[in-house]
Amino acid sequence: MAVLCLSAYTRKQKMTSVRRLYVLLCGFEILPKTISTRGLGSHLILSEPVCAYLLDTDQGWTLLDAGMNPDYLATPENREKYFGQHGMTCPVIRKPHLMETQLEQIGITFEDISHVIISHLHFDHCGYLGRLKHAKISIQQCEHAFAFSDEAGVAYFRSDYDMPELDWDLRSGDWEAVPGLSLISTRGHTQGHQSAIVQLPNHGTVILPFDVGDLAENFEHEILPGESCDDEASLAAIRRIKSIRDSTDGEIFLFHDPVAIQAMRLAPAFYD
Ligand SMILES: [Zn+2]
């Protein structure tokens, strides 16, 4: 009996090709809380982390979202152009937040990353695509189309992703990248937002909702994000993430929550 149990457990272990998940902390955004929680906390300014996730898989290194581009903060002119003139406070990016710094600590370079998966094309999710022209970049087709349209709002920095050399892989709906890494459509915050479900060998299921809900309270109290292209879809996305968490006994890793980030294992430490 003990042997049977052990073999079942071993089989379960082999169901994923993901070996490790690294949480990269890429800097902080300074924003009114209402950006994260619709209509709640208009007098509060939060310092929210921006993350990216790096997966070590049997098929190579995969990056989920691509941080913020530090070049936008490099000169006073850039700070004004990208943030000041839109009434936005500049993000904070220190040396430990730079992606190259973190990759070096892990022992790889940008060239080792063969696959990039983008939740959506807001500037805090795709800042390093210019360093990843050799990689396949997967995104939902409708997010890609919207980001290149005239309707894209101020959070879309076209210079982050409008490069002819980028190797786009356009997807529609739910899909599997490799065994143990699934992407699900969570349209609502933007036209083609997608989220990730990662199966880790020991830690179990990790759900990465990106901007479906920035803060824990978005999920606890089903509070819509500040920006949404479709409120009904945004609420459905929040509920979909919760239902996956409950059915898999999984853990949600929040992308923008200033409290949750303090308890997370940050790269070069990892989850396996
Ligand atoms: Zn974001």
Side-chain angles (χ1 to χ4, degrees):
M1 199 60 188
V3 172
L4 277 177
C5 288
L6 181 63
S7 86
Y9 182 69
T10 308
R11 263 202 311 279
K12 193 171 167 228
Q13 294 280 88
K14 284 182 180 164
M15 275 167 60
T16 182
S17 64
V18 181
R19 303 170 188 145
R20 291 177 171 184
L21 182 158
Y22 294 86
V23 179
L24 311 180
L25 175 58
C26 300
F28 287 84
E29 293 180 278
I30 316 297
L31 4 110
K33 186 165 181 285
T34 46
I35 295 281
S36 295
T37 52
R38 177 84 56 89
L40 293 173
S42 57
H43 56 300
L44 297 173
I45 304 292
L46 298 187
S47 163
E48 294 191 1
V50 170
C51 299
Y53 307 103
L54 181 69
L55 301 183
D56 178 12
T57 82
D58 293 342
Q59 282 89 337
W61 292 93
T62 296
L63 183 67
L64 302 175
D65 272 0
M68 282 189 290
N69 187 341
D71 294 346
Y72 297 135
L73 305 174
T75 64
E77 292 75 23
N78 274 4
R79 296 169 80 89
E80 177 59 22
K81 179 180 169 192
Y82 290 101
F83 301 103
Q85 70 167 2
H86 302 299
M88 293 155 74
T89 304
C90 288
V92 175
I93 305 176
R94 301 276 186 249
K95 190 157 184 271
H97 302 139
L98 297 176
M99 203 173 281
E100 53 266 42
T101 307
Q102 300 185 69
L103 296 184
E104 191 184 338
Q105 286 170 345
I106 293 166
I108 68 166
T109 66
F110 284 106
E111 282 63 39
D112 293 309
I113 297 169
S114 53
H115 193 189
V116 181
I117 299 171
I118 297 291
S119 64
H120 65 303
L121 280 168
H122 282 171
F123 74 91
D124 51 332
H125 297 260
C126 62
Y128 280 87
L129 287 184
R131 303 287 302 270
L132 293 155
K133 290 172 184 164
H134 56 279
K136 179 172 74 173
I137 300 167
S138 300
I139 188 166
Q140 291 285 313
Q141 188 274 330
C142 50
E143 179 68 17
H144 182 271
F146 183 79
F148 279 89
S149 77
D150 293 337
E151 291 162 64
V154 295
Y156 288 90
F157 291 6
R158 219 171 153 124
S159 47
D160 276 334
Y161 55 81
D162 190 358
M163 288 169 258
E165 310 94 313
L166 293 182
D167 179 15
W168 295 106
D169 168 46
L170 304 181
R171 299 281 173 166
S172 293
D174 301 350
W175 59 288
E176 185 184 69
V178 293
L181 172 58
S182 297
L183 286 302
I184 59 165
S185 169
T186 44
R187 179 178 172 275
H189 174 60
T190 64
Q191 290 289 347
H193 189 283
Q194 61 182 350
S195 301
I197 318 290
V198 182
Q199 197 60 45
L200 290 173
N202 296 312
H203 199 80
T205 306
V206 171
I207 301 139
L208 305 171
F210 301 98
D211 286 9
V212 167
D214 292 345
L215 311 177
E217 68 190 81
N218 290 99
F219 296 96
E220 275 166 33
H221 307 300
E222 300 189 345
I223 298 166
L224 295 181
E227 188 184 330
S228 161
C229 71
D230 178 338
D231 287 351
E232 210 173 300
S234 284
L235 181 59
I238 288 172
R239 290 181 172 162
R240 186 172 192 199
I241 294 289
K242 289 170 70 172
S243 130
I244 292 169
R245 176 197 62 191
D246 295 345
S247 65
T248 60
D249 199 20
E251 186 178 350
I252 294 175
F253 282 13
L254 295 164
F255 189 97
H256 281 308
D257 189 301
V259 177
I261 193 70
Q262 297 175 54
M264 298 206 70
R265 221 175 279 166
L266 300 177
F270 56 83
Y271 294 86
D272 65 4

